[in-house]
Amino acid sequence: MDSFKDMVREDIKNVFLDLEIFGETHMVAGQEMVILIDDGEKRKRNEQYLDEKAIYSKRILFYAAAEDVGTLPALGMEIDVDGRSYEVLQADDEGGVYSILAEEFRE
């Protein structure tokens, strides 16, 4: 019998990031991978970074399988998503799924 952790690992790819259920194919850091972009949760997390004096550019929150991404991105690291550069504001490992909140660079 599989352990609970094995079943969760299988569910990451077969349910949470399944292309027919939640996942979408995007280019992340130069490689095509299945991720889930979450606009609803992004709004909640944006509240942590609100500053009445600042003007923010586009933010993105996405989930990706840890095994696809590799090392958890560091805060402040630049990450490319679909040809656009973002700076990592928050990155968490949520049991084999990375949750990454990033802000687009504006020059």
Side-chain angles (χ1 to χ4, degrees):
M1 175 178 257
D2 289 340
S3 73
F4 177 73
K5 288 182 181 182
D6 291 334
M7 290 186 283
V8 169
R9 258 191 299 279
E10 288 179 23
D11 284 348
I12 290 170
K13 293 280 187 159
N14 297 331
V15 178
F16 190 64
L17 293 174
D18 185 297
L19 287 170
E20 294 181 14
I21 301 174
F22 297 114
E24 301 173 331
T25 302
H26 292 269
M27 292 297 293
V28 178
Q31 71 177 37
E32 188 175 278
M33 69 177 66
V34 178
I35 65 173
L36 171 64
I37 296 177
D38 187 341
D39 288 326
E41 180 66 18
K42 177 184 72 175
R43 284 186 207 96
K44 290 180 199 171
R45 293 187 190 197
N46 272 343
E47 292 173 8
Q48 296 176 40
Y49 299 97
L50 289 178
D51 181 345
E52 293 179 11
K53 298 176 187 173
I55 298 174
Y56 290 107
S57 57
K58 180 179 178 186
R59 288 202 176 129
I60 184 172
L61 171 68
F62 67 94
Y63 299 93
E67 66 182 51
D68 290 346
V69 177
T71 304
L72 183 67
L75 299 182
M77 178 179 157
E78 184 178 333
I79 190 167
D80 183 280
V81 179
D82 294 331
R84 299 175 84 148
S85 294
Y86 294 86
E87 179 181 344
V88 175
L89 298 176
Q90 182 179 8
D92 298 301
D93 184 346
E94 299 182 4
V97 175
Y98 289 165
S99 167
I100 301 169
L101 176 66
E103 180 177 45
E104 184 177 18
F105 288 111
R106 294 276 183 169
E107 296 187 38

